[in-house]
């Protein structure tokens, strides 16, 4: 099923299967009670763990809403759709492992999929974190610490929704955090007095200034931003009432406050308040925290690949919520392979073919590369055989990329990968008939 999802990314079981027998096979697999999201995620994490030894790893995690069946109906939650049956929407929480040095996407660390079908629940503040959806942040961090223990270092990066006191308090011993602050927390100063986090960050002395390129995004043009950096150790105080039993009164962190001062572009200027467990002693170290946080955008690209740019998962209209949950988990694993091809296209990640594809794909890719290369330098495959970049060049050309205009994205890679799998299947049939 994984091979089918990578070969023909999509949300239609019948098209993925290709024939009636395999359609029944896939359907039985997804309906099997012994098949679970947790097992699929655990298997994917084990494969990722084999690639992290000795590396500096960052883990980016986030949650995305999936509006299914082509309907973007948000009313009354995300539970089953009344009379018509089926599933209105699900939530997917994913965590991806990335090599901090070369940005290579190493694989999935965790995937959690659920359906909000329980109606009204007890007030949020009267429940412990373990009984809330917030637990997903703690669970993913714990799984990262356990699965990626062979790494040289692990830093989990997440956005404002993960700014949870217990998230910091329950941090695994071998994991560091970078979290974008959401709450204007009470902090304890060295003098013993109290202050508010946001005002404290604004009053800090300027540590440095630097420029970064902000890439284009929907509704935003590419621009160069001038940023002012401030940082300082902070001691955050436990909120009241306590969010859980046994939590410490205070937690020591470092605040990195970065604000855009070149706001002539007319949009909203950048202002990030980052809380990290890393101990920082210099502006260069604080700047690296900012650079690492910017890599969080990978998870947004991942969700885009799963949705509009590749698998079109939201077009699925599987009526059984439990089956749909498992199907989303399977697609979440397969989406990593498409992303690996996209990210390796320039050769910067220095990944080997076996990091994403099968060893026997090599000879077919090499034969196709010779066939696809043109007479000009731009039309030559510039990458070494046996690398994922070499494969990405071939697959992008099969997907319609001319090697002249722009860089191939997930849609081109998806089309090219489907074409490659068909060609490989054809060569297999030919060999069997010899």
């Amino acid at each position: 099923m994984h091979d089918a999802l990578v070969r023909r990314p999509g949300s239609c079981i019948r098209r993925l299967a290709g024939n009636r027998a395999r359609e029944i096979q896939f359907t039985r697999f997804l309906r099997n009670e012994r098949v679970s999201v947790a097992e699929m995620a655990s298997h994917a994490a084990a494969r990722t763990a084999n690639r992290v030894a000795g590396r500096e790893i960052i883990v980016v995690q986030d949650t995305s809403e999936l509006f299914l069946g082509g309907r973007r109906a948000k009313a009354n939650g995300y539970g089953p759709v009344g009379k018509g049956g089926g599933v209105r929407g699900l939530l997917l929480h994913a965590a991806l492992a990335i090599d901090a040095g070369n940005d290579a996407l190493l694989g999935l660390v965790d995937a959690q999929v659920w359906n909000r079908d329980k109606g009204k629940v007890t007030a949020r503040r009267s429940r412990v974190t373990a009984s809330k959806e917030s637990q997903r942040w703690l669970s993913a961090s714990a799984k990262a610490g356990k699965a990626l223990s062979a790494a040289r270092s692990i830093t989990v990066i997440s956005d404002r929704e993960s700014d949870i006191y217990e998230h910091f308090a329950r941090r695994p011993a071998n994991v560091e955090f970078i979290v974008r602050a959401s709450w204007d927390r009470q902090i304890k100063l060295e003098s013993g007095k109290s202050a508010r986090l946001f005002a404290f960050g604004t009053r800090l002395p300027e540590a440095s200034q630097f420029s970064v390129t902000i890439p284009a995004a929907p509704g935003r043009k590419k621009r160069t931003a001038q940023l002012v950096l401030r940082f300082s150790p902070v001691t955050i105080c436990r909120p009241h009432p306590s969010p859980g039993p046994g939590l410490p009164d205070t937690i020591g962190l470092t605040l990195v406050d970065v604000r855009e001062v070149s706001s002539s572009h007319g949009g909203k200027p950048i202002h990030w308040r980052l809380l990290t467990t890393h101990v920082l002693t210099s502006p260069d170290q604080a700047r690296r925290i900012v650079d690492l946080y910017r890599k969080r955008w990978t998870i947004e690209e991942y969700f885009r690949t799963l949705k509009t740019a590749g698998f079109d998962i939201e077009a699925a209209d599987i009526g059984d919520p439990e089956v749909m949950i498992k199907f989303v988990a399977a697609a979440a694993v397969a989406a990593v392979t498409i992303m690996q091809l996209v990210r390796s296209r320039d050769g910067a990640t220095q990944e080997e073919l076996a990091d994403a594809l099968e060893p026997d794909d090599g000879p077919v890719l090499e034969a196709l590369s010779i066939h696809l290369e043109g007479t000009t330098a731009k039309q030559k495959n510039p990458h070494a055989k046996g690398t994922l970049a070499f494969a990405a060049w071939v697959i992008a050309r099969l997907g319609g990329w001319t090697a002249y205009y722009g860089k191939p994205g997930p849609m081109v890679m998806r089309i090219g990968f489907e074409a490659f799998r068909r060609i490989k299947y054809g060569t297999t049939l030919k060999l069997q008939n010899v």
Side-chain angles (χ1 to χ4, degrees):
M1 186 173 186
H2 177 270
D3 185 60
L5 280 163
V6 173
R7 183 173 68 247
R8 290 190 295 270
S11 54
C12 177
I13 296 291
R14 186 173 301 165
R15 181 175 182 274
L16 284 170
N19 58 60
R20 178 64 176 170
R22 184 154 290 179
E23 179 187 351
I24 296 299
Q25 182 186 38
F26 287 174
T27 302
R28 286 176 177 170
F29 172 77
L30 292 171
R31 292 185 180 278
N32 191 322
E33 293 182 356
R34 291 179 295 174
V35 174
S36 69
V37 173
E39 285 294 336
M40 283 189 266
S42 177
H43 179 73
R47 294 180 62 191
T48 304
N50 293 331
R51 301 168 182 160
V52 304
R55 298 192 186 196
E56 180 186 2
I57 300 299
I58 60 172
V59 176
V60 293
Q61 62 167 327
D62 205 353
T63 305
S64 183
E65 300 173 10
L66 306 176
F67 301 99
L68 304 171
R71 299 179 296 272
R72 298 188 64 83
K74 289 189 178 182
N76 302 320
Y78 305 95
V81 178
K83 297 180 180 178
V87 184
R88 176 173 297 151
L90 301 175
L91 289 99
L92 165 65
H93 186 83
L96 304 174
I98 302 168
D99 187 311
N102 60 18
D103 288 352
L105 176 56
L106 303 178
L108 199 66
V109 177
D110 186 34
Q112 302 169 52
V113 190
W114 68 98
N115 184 25
R116 284 181 181 151
D117 60 356
K118 297 180 180 179
K120 290 186 178 180
V121 295
T122 309
R124 179 179 62 84
R125 288 188 178 274
S126 64
R127 289 178 287 138
V128 296
T129 303
S131 67
K132 303 177 187 176
E133 288 184 356
S134 305
Q135 178 63 33
R136 66 191 186 272
W137 305 99
L138 283 69
S139 298
S141 298
K143 290 175 183 176
K146 183 176 181 180
L148 310 182
S149 58
R152 186 171 79 248
S153 66
I154 308 168
T155 298
V156 174
I157 301 172
S158 48
D159 214 356
R160 287 178 288 191
E161 200 175 350
S162 68
D163 182 11
I164 303 165
Y165 191 83
E166 192 168 354
H167 188 207
F168 293 108
R170 308 294 188 201
R171 174 176 63 93
N174 63 333
V175 173
E176 303 291 347
F177 283 170
I178 300 174
V179 173
R180 186 177 175 188
S182 177
W183 304 102
D184 190 10
R185 296 185 178 279
Q186 180 180 337
I187 62 173
K188 187 175 182 180
L189 303 177
E190 291 183 356
S191 63
K193 295 183 179 180
S194 297
R196 306 307 298 189
L197 179 67
F198 292 174
F200 175 80
T202 301
R203 292 194 301 266
L204 289 172
E206 180 182 316
S208 68
Q209 288 196 23
F210 58 96
S211 297
V212 297
T213 299
I214 307 299
R220 183 185 73 196
K221 295 181 179 180
K222 179 180 177 180
R223 72 177 191 274
T224 299
Q226 186 71 18
L227 304 178
V228 171
L229 179 71
R230 298 175 172 87
F231 72 99
S232 173
V234 293
T235 301
I236 64 172
C237 301
R238 185 182 62 197
H240 297 284
S242 178
L247 298 180
D249 292 335
T250 60
I251 299 174
L253 301 170
T254 301
L255 170 66
V256 178
D257 186 293
V258 59
R259 186 191 298 262
E260 183 178 1
V261 293
S262 56
S263 56
S264 59
H265 52 84
K268 187 175 181 180
I270 290 171
H271 189 190
W272 297 332
R273 300 176 178 98
L274 307 178
L275 291 170
T276 181
T277 57
H278 284 284
V279 177
L280 310 178
T281 59
S282 70
D284 286 344
Q285 291 176 342
R287 164 70 189 275
R288 176 151 174 76
I289 295 299
V290 177
D291 291 340
L292 289 177
Y293 176 75
R294 293 185 67 203
K295 297 179 189 292
R296 196 199 69 82
W297 184 250
T298 301
I299 197 79
E300 304 295 346
E301 295 175 337
Y302 170 76
F303 288 136
R304 179 171 171 265
T305 299
L306 197 59
K307 296 179 183 181
T308 58
F311 289 75
D312 199 18
I313 194 69
E314 291 182 313
D317 204 6
I318 297 173
D320 187 324
E322 291 302 316
V323 173
M324 189 64 216
I325 285 172
K326 294 175 188 178
F327 181 68
V328 168
V333 177
V336 173
T337 300
I338 298 298
M339 275 202 67
Q340 285 174 317
L341 289 169
V342 173
R343 294 172 68 84
S344 67
R345 62 195 174 190
D346 297 328
T349 61
Q350 301 176 347
E351 291 175 276
E352 299 299 317
L353 180 69
D355 286 338
L357 305 180
E358 299 300 323
D360 62 351
D361 289 338
V364 183
L365 288 164
E366 291 172 20
L368 284 170
S369 182
I370 294 172
H371 176 73
L372 292 167
E373 285 183 343
T375 56
T376 66
K378 273 188 172 290
Q379 292 177 314
K380 301 290 185 182
N381 192 333
H383 307 293
K385 296 177 182 178
T387 65
L388 195 55
F390 182 93
W393 187 94
V394 173
I395 290 169
R397 293 283 282 118
L398 290 173
W401 179 57
T402 65
Y404 276 96
Y405 304 105
K407 295 181 179 180
M411 186 68 75
V412 169
M413 290 297 185
R414 178 188 66 78
I415 295 169
F417 202 81
E418 180 177 353
F420 169 70
R421 285 305 187 194
R422 286 174 177 168
I423 293 168
K424 183 183 176 184
Y425 180 66
T427 61
T428 304
L429 287 179
K430 184 176 180 180
L431 290 172
Q432 289 175 347
N433 292 328
V434 172

